Amino acid sequence: MPSVTRYWPADEVLSLDQPDGARVQVRVLRSARRTKSLAVGWVGPATLEVRAPLTTSVHDIEQALASLWPRLQRSQPGREAPDPDTELEQRAQQLNASYFRGKLSWRSIRYVRNQHHRYGSCTPNEGTIRISERVQNMPSWVRDYVLIHELAHLQEPNHSPAFWALVKRYRLTERARGFLQGVAYATHQPQEDGDDDADGA
């Protein structure tokens, strides 16, 4: 999330300074007819518009912007769409540094379309990790869990206690597993997280 400069409440405008130095203006339009939800969208290459109820606090608007910022950034007009596999690789490197002390190495990490019953798979002896494209549209903390799960298989190729000890260093592990089980239930898919996401070991 970029840094935020407030110009409240006189002109109902926020200025967002992005890491690359670009500035995004956020216009806030309040309406008595809007009672609950916020609507946020681009109205120009560097201008966002927030439609909010009259009573919405500045804090709530800033929280909404922070939550929606990754998606808004991807849909920004005129912005070249980043390569999903490159972003996935970068995130895996960050998680490797945070949870595995940067000790893991691999040949490739990429999204695939042909995993309909698994969210990810790892072939440790080839150093390849494949993540289902379905994970792209899930919350980032769920994607991080799936990545950590598969990264851990590079060190522990089965679902042993040692494997789970590695994975559970991620504090949202149980929450993410519950989320994925809910997705499986809602879509009538087999509930995975079982014994077949590490192969070639």
Side-chain angles (χ1 to χ4, degrees):
M1 176 68 186
S3 60
V4 177
T5 304
R6 297 189 188 184
Y7 295 99
W8 300 91
D11 50 7
E12 297 278 294
V13 172
L14 284 175
S15 179
L16 304 182
D17 294 318
Q18 300 183 80
D20 62 3
R23 177 166 288 184
V24 173
Q25 293 256 311
V26 182
R27 296 200 309 252
V28 178
L29 304 178
R30 296 179 183 272
S31 169
R33 287 185 292 181
R34 184 176 287 274
T35 58
K36 290 184 179 180
S37 61
L38 296 176
V40 183
W42 293 99
V43 292
T47 305
L48 280 168
E49 187 173 88
V50 177
R51 295 181 177 271
L54 285 174
T55 57
T56 306
S57 69
V58 174
H59 175 75
D60 286 346
I61 291 173
E62 289 179 344
Q63 289 291 100
L65 288 171
S67 174
L68 294 171
W69 183 250
R71 180 176 63 80
L72 290 167
Q73 200 172 24
R74 288 193 296 270
S75 64
Q76 186 174 2
R79 185 183 183 91
E80 185 177 340
D83 175 45
D85 288 343
T86 299
E87 288 188 327
L88 191 66
E89 171 72 30
Q90 291 171 348
R91 186 56 181 157
Q93 293 289 359
Q94 292 168 349
L95 295 172
N96 182 26
S98 297
Y99 292 93
F100 302 95
R101 300 181 181 177
K103 293 180 178 180
L104 301 180
S105 61
W106 53 85
R107 189 162 59 88
S108 69
I109 292 181
R110 61 190 177 89
Y111 285 112
V112 295
R113 295 181 178 179
N114 61 352
Q115 288 193 1
H116 304 297
H117 303 296
R118 295 191 285 182
Y119 299 112
S121 62
C122 174
T123 307
N125 61 2
E126 295 180 5
T128 58
I129 291 175
R130 296 157 302 280
I131 305 296
S132 171
E133 279 192 338
R134 294 175 295 154
V135 175
Q136 280 184 276
N137 297 319
M138 294 180 183
S140 59
W141 52 271
V142 176
R143 179 209 58 199
D144 284 354
Y145 162 73
V146 173
L147 271 172
I148 288 169
H149 186 115
E150 301 310 332
L151 287 168
H153 278 310
L154 293 171
Q155 187 169 323
E156 297 290 338
N158 49 37
H159 288 94
S160 65
F163 165 83
W164 285 113
L166 289 173
V167 174
K168 289 182 179 180
R169 290 186 295 189
Y170 179 57
R171 64 182 181 85
L172 297 177
T173 288
E174 292 305 322
R175 183 179 172 192
R177 291 179 71 190
F179 180 97
L180 294 173
Q181 288 168 0
V183 170
Y185 179 82
T187 56
H188 308 289
Q189 298 290 333
Q191 293 193 20
E192 61 159 66
D193 208 21
D195 302 320
D196 61 349
D197 62 339
D199 36 60

